[in-house]
């Protein structure tokens, strides 16, 4: 901030950026009230790009009644990509194929 105030370019803007790996996650929510029986779709993740991983945040037998907030989350899909944007696209694609099975 001092450099900008003095009319100079901050050194940080000129530093070379190191390449890294972008990561992203998408939450998978219950689409209706009911008791979680399991999920369909996590078995297909290995065939998708971005090394998607599935992290369930609920257990079969859990009851879902509150769908409008975080209490409706059943799991998380985590992916990676060359950029965060690509990782997010991959996470959305992977999460779109996972369905909580409710009874």
């Amino acid at each position: 901030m001092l450099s900008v105030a003095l009319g100079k370019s901050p050194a940080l803007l000129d530093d070379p950026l190191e390449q890294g790996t972008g990561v992203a996650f998408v939450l998978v929510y219950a689409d209706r009230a009911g008791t979680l029986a399991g999920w369909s779709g996590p078995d297909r993740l290995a065939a998708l790009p971005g090394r998607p991983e599935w992290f369930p945040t609920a257990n079969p037998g859990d009851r879902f009644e509150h769908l409008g907030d975080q209490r409706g989350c059943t799991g998380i899909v985590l992916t990676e990509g060359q950029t965060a944007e690509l990782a997010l696209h991959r996470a959305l694609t992977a999460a779109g194929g996972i369905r909580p099975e409710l009874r």
Side-chain angles (χ1 to χ4, degrees):
M1 291 178 65
L2 292 174
S3 294
V4 172
L6 296 172
K8 299 178 182 177
S9 176
L12 181 61
L13 294 179
D14 299 321
D15 284 348
L17 297 177
E18 293 188 26
Q19 287 287 55
T21 300
V23 295
F25 66 91
V26 172
L27 307 177
V28 176
Y29 289 90
D31 62 353
R32 61 186 172 84
T35 300
L36 183 65
W39 298 266
S40 62
D43 56 323
R44 66 184 269 287
L45 294 180
L48 298 175
R51 296 176 14 140
E53 295 181 62
W54 170 244
F55 299 96
T57 59
N59 296 302
D62 288 352
R63 177 87 183 141
F64 287 86
E65 296 177 5
H66 304 280
L67 306 178
D69 60 32
Q70 190 60 26
R71 292 173 289 179
C73 180
T74 69
I76 301 169
V77 175
L78 176 72
T79 60
E80 61 183 41
Q82 289 80 7
T83 65
E85 294 82 4
L86 181 55
L88 178 58
H89 176 68
R90 290 173 171 177
L92 289 166
T93 299
I98 296 178
R99 299 280 183 258
E101 296 175 351
L102 298 159
R103 293 193 170 79

